[in-house]
Amino acid sequence: MRLTMPTAVVEGTQLTVMPFREDAVIGTMSVPALVQLLPSPRAEEDAKKLQAASGLVRRHAELRSTVQRTLKSSQKGKNVGPYADYIADGLKGELGAGWSTPPITMWHAGPLAAISDEIAPGTGLRTLTIAPGTMVIAIDGETQTTAWHDLYDNPEAHGLTYRELAQVRVPFELYVDLAPADARQIFYDRNVQGVAVAKNLAMSMDQRDFGTQLAHRVAGSVKVEIDGKRVPFAQLVNASKRQVAQSDKEVITLSALRALVITAIYGRSGLSRSAETVYEDELPTGERPEQVASTVVSLLTRLISDHESHFTGRSAITAPAVLAGVGIAVHQAMPWSDRAASLDADGLDRLLADIRWEREPVYWDGVAAKTGTTGRLNFSGGVKDSGGRVADAILYPATEAGLKIPGLRA
């Protein structure tokens, strides 16, 4: 008896995709499919594991090295653990709807094993098949890829199960049959061409950050007069820009207001936290979040009300470094501040009452600003650069013996 051979069937991983150009598609895949298609970058950088690995894995690692940065001993590698925790928290519902991971960008090094016609006419949807042993490399999103590997290797450590992970869909885009040079170019374009978001601006978008939450509360808790109408101060706070222009209707940025909040909570140490997420369990020892929030919001809304004309008039008080320095002074009136240098609310009012907020070199040159060759004052100094000098000038007037600090008072 002779056995008949089966008809040719292309075996491999099948994905439902939609092309968006002749050599690229988008789609979603399961986590098991992802970890099967994309070997763990961490494992491919382990010399001992690689030495004992199959020839296919070694070739994959060699090709990966031509289009990717190393993971080991880099900030990229350090981000894997927090990224895995973030994904796990999102999957468990702890972050609500406010979380996201970008599509992983992959390179299929060679032609596809097969791609079908449209599944339904007019939809663009097709099924492609990636043959076993095909080289597929993550050229963008490798930190996320490694995080998915960590989750799948030990889901219980993150409060998940294999069954839960198997139900997750991971978005991707796949570039097919590109030359290595083109894959490297995509890596460059994705990582260099885009403009990185300034840390302070990014922080002002973080709604889980305690400082950002309080900044929004402060902005919404006080009203100021604009064109004869009382409006929420929030209308004068720009939440989408790093700095406001003279033509903007807003007078300060949310990141600058957040710097005021953070330094009011922490004092001088808040200068270094202006671009870091602040969590409720990191507040001053023994202080409850609701008590800190109530005290900070109360004092800062009073501050803005008392200096309303200086804010609406775009005086020096609206500069980020000046707000940070003012926050350090405000910190002295907080119940958790150093008792030896503490103030009450009235004492704080007196301390700030005779500050000259006009944008004049005689007051601010060398403190929070520099005078240019044209004589114009430039408040370009950052929170960390100038916030401490502003605080010194407020807390220790130049009239006091032995101090060589520019005076902010007439």
Side-chain angles (χ1 to χ4, degrees):
M1 184 180 75
R2 298 186 58 155
L3 298 176
T4 58
M5 299 301 292
T7 56
V9 176
V10 179
E11 297 180 337
T13 302
Q14 291 193 333
L15 301 171
T16 300
V17 299
M18 177 178 286
F20 63 91
R21 70 185 212 190
E22 291 182 352
D23 56 4
V25 299
I26 56 173
T28 66
M29 69 173 77
S30 68
V31 176
L34 173 71
V35 298
Q36 180 184 23
L37 281 178
L38 297 173
S40 169
R42 182 183 282 117
E44 291 195 347
E45 291 183 10
D46 187 317
K48 290 184 178 179
K49 287 184 178 180
L50 201 59
Q51 189 174 10
S54 67
L56 179 65
V57 172
R58 291 198 300 272
R59 289 194 298 275
H60 188 281
E62 183 179 353
L63 185 60
R64 169 187 170 268
S65 68
T66 66
V67 295
Q68 264 295 351
R69 298 171 291 174
T70 58
L71 193 73
K72 190 175 182 181
S73 302
S74 68
Q75 186 58 46
K76 174 182 170 182
K78 294 176 182 176
N79 287 341
V80 172
Y83 207 155
D85 293 337
Y86 171 76
I87 294 173
D89 290 344
L91 294 177
K92 290 183 291 186
E94 296 178 4
L95 304 180
W99 74 285
S100 174
T101 57
I104 295 173
T105 302
M106 301 186 298
W107 167 41
H108 186 289
L112 292 169
I115 186 166
S116 72
D117 294 329
E118 284 186 311
I119 296 174
T123 64
L125 294 174
R126 302 169 186 268
T127 299
L128 63 76
T129 303
I130 299 176
T134 300
M135 298 292 170
V136 180
I137 312 290
I139 51 178
D140 193 46
E142 197 177 55
T143 304
Q144 183 189 159
T145 299
T146 312
W148 283 116
H149 270 277
D150 284 6
L151 290 172
Y152 201 70
D153 286 345
N154 190 3
E156 292 82 6
H158 296 85
L160 296 169
T161 65
Y162 284 111
R163 184 173 181 177
E164 289 172 325
L165 285 175
Q167 296 173 349
V168 175
R169 305 298 298 180
V170 181
F172 69 88
E173 55 180 335
L174 177 68
Y175 290 83
V176 179
D177 202 16
L178 298 185
D182 291 329
R184 285 194 295 271
Q185 188 64 49
I186 291 175
F187 171 87
Y188 173 86
D189 292 347
R190 291 296 178 88
N191 289 278
V192 178
Q193 295 284 40
V195 178
V197 179
K199 283 188 176 181
N200 285 346
L201 175 58
M203 194 57 59
S204 70
M205 301 291 184
D206 185 0
Q207 302 309 301
R208 284 186 288 272
D209 171 66
F210 190 69
T212 299
Q213 294 174 21
L214 293 197
H216 280 293
R217 284 184 56 180
V218 169
S221 298
V222 60
K223 290 189 174 183
V224 297
E225 185 172 323
I226 299 293
D227 298 330
K229 296 181 180 179
R230 303 297 291 179
V231 300
F233 184 64
Q235 292 188 15
L236 300 184
V237 179
N238 190 306
S240 62
K241 297 177 69 173
R242 185 180 182 184
Q243 58 185 19
V244 293
Q246 191 65 33
S247 59
D248 292 330
K249 65 183 181 68
E250 300 90 356
V251 298
I252 65 171
T253 62
L254 184 62
S255 62
L257 184 58
R258 181 184 178 277
L260 172 65
V261 168
I262 296 300
T263 50
I265 295 173
Y266 293 101
R268 289 181 188 273
S269 64
L271 295 174
S272 62
R273 305 203 63 159
S274 61
E276 298 178 0
T277 301
V278 172
Y279 298 102
E280 292 185 357
D281 59 1
E282 298 174 332
L283 296 176
T285 304
E287 299 299 326
R288 293 179 294 112
E290 56 270 24
Q291 185 59 43
V292 171
S294 175
T295 305
V296 169
V297 172
S298 176
L299 271 176
L300 294 187
T301 53
R302 176 174 173 171
L303 169 75
I304 294 171
S305 294
D306 290 346
H307 298 276
E308 174 183 333
S309 63
H310 299 302
F311 278 98
T312 58
R314 300 175 183 267
S315 74
I317 201 171
T318 61
V322 175
L323 283 172
V326 170
I328 293 172
V330 172
H331 176 74
Q332 305 302 313
M334 296 297 170
W336 55 85
S337 67
D338 183 358
R339 293 292 87 191
S342 64
L343 295 167
D344 58 19
D346 291 335
L348 177 64
D349 290 343
R350 291 191 295 271
L351 183 67
L352 299 176
D354 59 349
I355 299 293
R356 301 301 298 263
W357 301 107
E358 300 95 325
R359 289 179 175 251
E360 298 292 342
V362 65
Y363 306 123
W364 296 101
D365 186 26
V367 182
K370 294 180 180 180
T371 303
T373 56
T374 62
R376 184 178 179 180
L377 205 57
N378 184 358
F379 283 83
S380 61
V383 167
K384 295 180 182 180
D385 297 330
S386 305
R389 289 198 299 272
V390 174
D392 289 339
I394 292 173
L395 294 169
Y396 311 112
T399 54
E400 293 187 14
L403 292 174
K404 296 181 179 179
I405 301 171
L408 304 184
R409 296 164 173 83

